Amino acid sequence: MRNATTGERVDATVTLNGDTLGTTGGDGLWTVAPRGTFVVTAETGDGNVTASVTNV
């Protein structure tokens, strides 16, 4: 995850449908997307970003 203004990496806690997957670090965070529709949230000290995604 990167800061949209500066381009610098930002550490964030990532959740999928409310379950914590882990944190982004120097290498990022990899996971397999579930089927159907799900909600992904990245939480930082400055705020959150949430997206609803449909995997077809």
Side-chain angles (χ1 to χ4, degrees):
M1 185 166 185
R2 294 190 181 269
N3 179 305
T5 303
T6 66
E8 293 180 20
R9 290 183 183 260
V10 177
D11 290 334
T13 299
V14 179
T15 61
L16 179 69
N17 290 335
D19 296 321
T20 301
L21 296 178
T23 58
T24 61
D27 295 334
L29 177 69
W30 291 87
T31 188
V32 176
R35 293 181 181 164
T37 301
F38 54 93
V39 176
V40 178
T41 302
E43 300 177 26
T44 72
D46 293 324
N48 301 343
V49 175
T50 300
S52 179
V53 181
T54 299
N55 190 6
V56 291

